[in-house]
Amino acid sequence: MAEANRVAAGRVVIVGAGWAGLAAALELSEIRPASEIWLYERRSHPGGRAFSFTHPTTGWRLDNGQHVLLGCCTEFVAALRQIGQEDAVRFQPLLSVPVYASGAWQTLKSRRLPGPLHLLQSLMGYGHLSPAERARALWAALAVLTGSTERIDGQSFASWLAEHGQSTRAIERLWDLIGVAVLNGSSDKVSAGLAVQALRTGVVSGWRAARLGYFACPLSDLAEAAVRVLRSRGVHVHLGEAIERVELERGAVVGVRTKAGERVAAQTVIAAVPHDVLPRLLIHDLARSSELHGLASVPWSPIVNVYLLYDRPVMTGEVAAWAGQTAPFVFNRGRLLGTTEWDGRLLAASISAAGSLLGQSRQQLVRQVDQQVRQMFPEAGAARLLQAVCVWQTQATFLAEPGIRQYRFPCQGLVPGLLVAGDWTDTGWPACLEGAVRSGRTAARLAVNSRCIQEKAYNV
Ligand SMILES: Cc1cc2nc3c(=O)[nH]c(=O)nc-3n(C[C@H](O)[C@H](O)[C@H](O)COP(=O)(O)OP(=O)(O)OC[C@H]3O[C@@H](n4cnc5c(N)ncnc54)[C@H](O)[C@@H]3O)c2cc1C
């Protein structure tokens, strides 16, 4: 019995093998004996909301959605380094995104200068806005760099932009173009605090942070590589095994119960699950917690990706944007994956905050995106669309509505022995891979500290 207690006393159970859970397990297994770490994932594959699958009719290996990083995503890259996969992401030397509007192209690009100077020249020459709109955009960009984001959390980003003199056109052609991709919500729907924080960290602060990073392989390859590393270290990885609930005794964590009914004793549980799953794991014990009920009601925001294969190359660059259109960002998926055969032919049109398109048929959506591609790229004029696939993710990210801060729980403090991780937690980042990894690593470090304290008590 004493031996069983000793084992449980050292055990950390991690629930969820998305990037928050994987990062927690990777970090913890570098600091503590891996045999004490148990990772449970409901699905048969790791990676959570960043995964790949083989499409049944085309046979294509597709991601659930085009994912990109920014140069500021340093902890995600550090996690890739831990699994020997840092070459799987290639960063642009400098931010460069061609933007189409009213029949003309303009490029948003950085220069190798400190922020916000790195964007100054590009912003001042951005012909999709009038000279007065550009000057006001510069003023707003400077305001992004200063001031408390906490104070404006309850305000919508659209009202903040209006206060800072931004016209409807500037919002569409500049702020929402970037903001919707980063926050998965339009400026009228998202918190000004989070939007300003995200733009400060990722876009305005400097040229390194603002570079786009592309994945050179399917996303699942990376999550599977992480699981291989964890298993080789001795971490117990259980795929396809869901956790029913976190078990508490006298208000503290004592373990988890699996859906299959097995009870697994643990000293610490890291719940690295989506925001609306956490309350379900705890709600039996904390039924009266209004915070958890509030968290469960934070809405999801969908993303849809339309993959298009043409009979000839139609796109020459890696990425192109068209503000205010059905698909604001189009990626040259063939090029990004390094396939010469599909370079310029296989495109991924990424549509964030896609709720308004939910009622459309697959044919309507494909037709719209195909027409858009033909308008953007003259090479597509005579090309034949061979195949198209729409990949919907209705629960892509939480919607960061004004006032979202109250639901972004810190890693620790809910229940003794319970740590929470995930893109929705109090990371200061929008819902993204970087935020997920940061939260997982924080949880791992806290698990080590709380473990040490409780071990001392145990030894006494
Ligand atoms: C289409 C799309 C495009 C995106 N684009 C980008 C992008 O370009 N850049 C970017 O940085 N981010 C992007 N994101 C967001 C990014 O994918 C997520 O923020 C990130 O993957 C979240 O990781 P997570 O570990 O916090 O949560 P999740 O990935 O959701 O992981 C949680 C895990 O917990 C598991 N789980 C749930 N319940 C249980 C249970 N009871 N027992 C055991 N396991 C359980 C789930 O199956 C899941 O695997 C995108 C997301 C989508 C869907």
Side-chain angles (χ1 to χ4, degrees):
M1 186 61 190
E3 186 55 28
N5 281 345
R6 191 179 298 280
V7 171
R11 187 179 294 155
V12 179
V13 166
I14 301 170
V15 188
W19 277 97
L22 291 170
L26 285 166
E27 191 69 6
L28 205 51
S29 62
E30 288 193 350
I31 322 173
R32 301 299 305 178
S35 59
E36 294 178 351
I37 305 165
W38 295 48
L39 173 61
Y40 284 90
E41 167 55 47
R42 172 175 74 82
R43 296 195 200 161
S44 57
H45 58 85
R49 276 171 280 148
F51 68 95
S52 322
F53 64 100
T54 302
H55 185 256
T57 40
T58 58
W60 297 341
R61 189 145 163 76
L62 296 174
D63 287 346
N64 65 326
Q66 178 68 43
H67 279 61
V68 291
L69 299 177
L70 288 174
C72 55
C73 297
T74 50
E75 300 249 338
F76 185 80
V77 172
L80 291 184
R81 206 171 298 123
Q82 282 175 311
I83 57 170
Q85 295 287 334
E86 63 267 49
D87 292 344
V89 176
R90 183 176 49 79
F91 284 95
Q92 294 179 322
L94 286 166
L95 172 75
S96 177
V97 179
V99 183
Y100 188 74
S102 309
W105 289 95
Q106 296 283 326
T107 303
L108 282 173
K109 58 182 178 207
S110 292
R111 297 185 68 208
R112 210 172 280 256
L113 290 170
L117 295 177
H118 68 113
L119 287 173
L120 184 64
Q121 193 181 31
S122 178
L123 207 51
M124 289 299 93
Y126 190 54
H128 292 328
L129 302 182
S130 70
E133 284 170 329
R134 289 177 229 163
R136 284 197 296 269
L138 181 62
W139 175 54
L142 289 172
V144 161
L145 277 180
T146 53
S148 151
T149 53
E150 207 169 313
R151 200 177 46 75
I152 54 173
D153 174 58
Q155 184 179 1
S156 79
F157 187 38
S159 84
W160 185 92
L161 288 168
E163 272 174 18
H164 289 78
Q166 301 307 294
S167 64
T168 310
R169 190 167 66 158
I171 291 179
E172 181 183 292
R173 292 186 172 186
L174 183 65
W175 299 101
D176 262 355
L177 181 68
I178 306 167
V180 173
V182 173
L183 291 140
N184 197 19
S186 53
S187 53
D188 57 329
K189 298 272 188 330
V190 299
S191 154
L194 188 60
V196 167
Q197 181 63 52
L199 293 176
R200 185 181 291 175
T201 310
V203 183
V204 185
S205 68
W207 66 269
R208 274 182 202 282
R211 294 167 302 148
L212 287 183
Y214 303 118
F215 289 92
C217 65
L219 291 167
S220 279
D221 289 5
L222 302 174
E224 281 158 15
V227 166
R228 276 198 301 279
V229 168
L230 290 171
R231 284 192 166 136
S232 72
R233 289 179 183 173
V235 173
H236 305 269
V237 182
H238 300 263
L239 299 178
E241 283 189 53
I243 297 302
E244 175 80 29
R245 58 188 285 184
V246 174
E247 299 217 300
L248 311 182
E249 266 175 27
R250 277 172 279 144
V253 163
V254 291
V256 295
R257 184 173 292 275
T258 68
K259 276 248 159 76
E262 189 191 350
R263 189 167 176 270
V264 183
Q267 176 179 303
T268 308
V269 171
I270 300 177
V273 292
H275 70 276
D276 61 342
V277 175
L278 180 74
R280 295 208 289 273
L281 297 181
L282 289 169
I283 211 84
H284 318 275
D285 295 291
L286 300 173
R288 286 190 305 277
S289 164
S290 59
E291 272 177 311
L292 284 174
H293 282 293
L295 179 65
S297 65
V298 171
W300 285 99
S301 184
I303 297 179
V304 59
N305 272 248
V306 182
Y307 292 94
L308 305 161
L309 180 68
Y310 291 91
D311 67 346
R312 68 198 74 179
V314 299
M315 181 175 181
T316 48
E318 293 175 333
V319 63
W322 189 356
Q325 292 302 301
T326 307
F329 283 89
V330 179
F331 295 89
N332 182 347
R333 179 106 187 126
R335 168 89 52 90
L336 299 184
L337 291 180
T339 62
T340 28
E341 188 197 346
W342 284 2
D343 183 8
R345 292 179 56 209
L346 179 64
L347 312 187
S350 176
I351 310 171
S352 297
S356 64
L357 300 176
L358 274 166
Q360 288 207 2
S361 68
R362 177 192 163 277
Q363 284 86 345
Q364 282 173 316
L365 195 53
V366 169
R367 197 178 322 117
Q368 276 182 39
V369 176
D370 176 43
Q371 279 169 1
Q372 183 188 322
V373 165
R374 289 175 193 280
Q375 281 177 270
M376 290 171 92
F377 310 118
E379 298 86 342
R384 208 155 56 85
L385 178 63
L386 299 178
Q387 275 169 317
V389 173
C390 298
V391 182
W392 272 100
Q393 297 286 280
T394 49
Q395 299 193 335
T397 68
F398 68 86
L399 180 62
E401 292 175 315
I404 188 68
R405 267 180 76 93
Q406 65 184 305
Y407 299 119
R408 302 199 73 183
F409 294 1
C411 183
Q412 126 179 293
L414 202 55
V415 177
L418 177 70
L419 300 164
V420 294
D423 61 355
W424 61 272
T425 58
D426 183 21
T427 60
W429 289 69
C432 63
L433 292 165
E434 177 71 6
V437 163
R438 282 178 184 247
S439 71
R441 295 177 134 213
T442 303
R445 289 172 204 136
L446 287 169
V448 172
N449 291 340
S450 67
R451 221 196 79 116
C452 295
I453 294 162
Q454 293 187 28
E455 246 177 14
K456 273 189 202 143
Y458 179 85
N459 289 337
V460 170

